[in-house]
Amino acid sequence: MSLDVILPAVLRLVTLPISHYCEKARWGLERAGIPYREERDVQGVHQLVARRAGGGITVPVLVTPDGAIGDSAHILAWVDQRTPPEHRLFPSETGERDEVERLCRRLDDGLGPKGRRLMYIHMLADPKLALRFNNAGVPDWEDRFIRYGWPLARRYVKRVLDIRPGIEVDDEAAVFGELDHVAELLSDGRPYLCGERFGAADLTFAALSASVIVPPVYGVPLPQPDVLSPGMAALVQRAREHPAGRYALALFAEHRREPVF
């Protein structure tokens, strides 16, 4: 099936390269075989670029011939409408789709932000390592901008994410609470979270768990446990050994590089 008839223009995807919400959008587009051009930016600059692209102040923003889409969940739904029915991520039946969307919203609102902040708390303590992975593929001037302005960038991230003393304890408990919830869903032997095949809930869960399982397969390189601080490495190992963490790693290994047509 040719995509040229459906999508005459190459799409633009504005991202923070390391972001797990951006990974969710990348994964959805690549799985569907929809060509796009990724435009990567660093923290702070991404807000200006996102606005200029037609979104809000967050990424990802997908720029389409019909306008900009500034939310990973909406991007996934947009992609699904352009995917052959037999390969879609969302069920066609209303009740089943509602179940999938509820679980996706829960993960977007809980696992996503809590895991992101937990990762930043650990990574901000090691600027050399953080910048090495954070700046993958960004313009040279942005790389220099955040390196030379690291103290300001660090304060910006802490303010935007509301990082304060002790919050990592609450975030870690919340993240593992979500892993427990996913493991409970899978405990009845179902092959996937909602249905008999890989779907939107599975993709969303795997992508948003990336902050704590740091999968070897991802849209950009992620720091693996052997280069992480002892505290972060222990957190990653614990998440990877959790039944839901093992499930997420398996989803990345089996589905991340698999276009549907």
Side-chain angles (χ1 to χ4, degrees):
M1 176 179 180
S2 173
L3 286 169
D4 294 338
V5 175
I6 302 174
L7 297 167
V10 175
L11 308 175
R12 295 168 52 212
L13 183 68
V14 179
T15 71
L16 280 171
I18 205 168
S19 162
H20 49 2
Y21 289 103
C22 294
E23 173 68 3
K24 180 179 166 184
R26 280 191 300 248
W27 189 345
L29 287 162
E30 292 172 19
R31 176 185 177 274
I34 296 177
Y36 70 95
R37 181 179 72 252
E38 185 174 356
E39 299 179 3
R40 300 175 176 179
D41 298 287
V42 298
Q43 290 81 351
V45 176
H46 80 285
Q47 293 185 330
L48 301 175
V49 178
R51 279 192 180 279
R52 188 178 302 165
I57 60 171
T58 63
V59 290
V61 176
L62 181 67
V63 183
T64 80
D66 300 318
I69 308 170
D71 179 89
S72 64
H74 296 159
I75 291 171
L76 212 58
W78 185 91
V79 167
D80 216 46
Q81 292 170 0
R82 289 151 181 83
T83 302
E86 66 272 21
H87 296 301
R88 287 180 181 167
L89 293 166
F90 292 92
S92 57
E93 199 277 325
T94 302
E96 293 177 358
R97 186 182 181 98
D98 288 345
E99 178 188 358
V100 171
E101 290 179 342
R102 278 195 300 271
L103 181 52
C104 288
R105 281 195 300 271
R106 171 177 177 148
L107 295 166
D108 280 337
D109 295 342
L111 177 62
K114 301 292 186 180
R116 174 180 58 199
R117 184 163 58 188
L118 190 57
M119 178 273 292
Y120 270 105
I121 288 170
H122 283 275
M123 293 299 288
L124 287 175
D126 188 345
K128 183 177 180 180
L129 182 66
L131 291 169
R132 173 184 163 195
F133 290 94
N134 183 78
N135 295 5
V138 305
D140 289 343
W141 75 266
E142 291 189 30
D143 177 72
R144 293 192 298 271
F145 171 78
I146 198 170
R147 287 181 186 277
Y148 294 141
W150 175 252
L152 289 175
R154 186 173 183 270
R155 286 200 294 272
Y156 165 82
V157 170
K158 292 180 72 173
R159 177 178 58 82
V160 170
L161 297 185
D162 191 27
I163 294 175
R164 55 189 188 276
I167 195 67
E168 69 275 9
V169 176
D170 294 337
D171 285 346
E172 185 169 334
V175 165
F176 279 91
E178 291 304 303
L179 294 182
D180 289 342
H181 177 70
V182 168
E184 177 62 27
L185 292 175
L186 295 168
S187 66
D188 61 7
R190 66 182 70 182
Y192 295 101
L193 287 172
C194 299
E196 294 300 310
R197 62 185 178 90
F198 180 79
D202 305 289
L203 189 154
T204 298
F205 169 65
L208 298 186
S209 70
S211 58
V212 291
I213 64 167
V214 291
V217 178
Y218 195 77
V220 297
L222 294 181
Q224 295 304 297
D226 61 321
V227 300
L228 292 171
S229 67
M232 185 63 179
L235 174 68
V236 170
Q237 192 62 32
R238 181 183 166 207
R240 287 181 170 187
E241 291 173 353
H242 191 284
R246 292 198 301 269
Y247 178 68
L249 287 170
L251 291 176
F252 270 104
E254 295 169 19
H255 295 279
R256 179 61 182 93
R257 302 298 184 191
E258 182 186 329
V260 297
F261 53 83

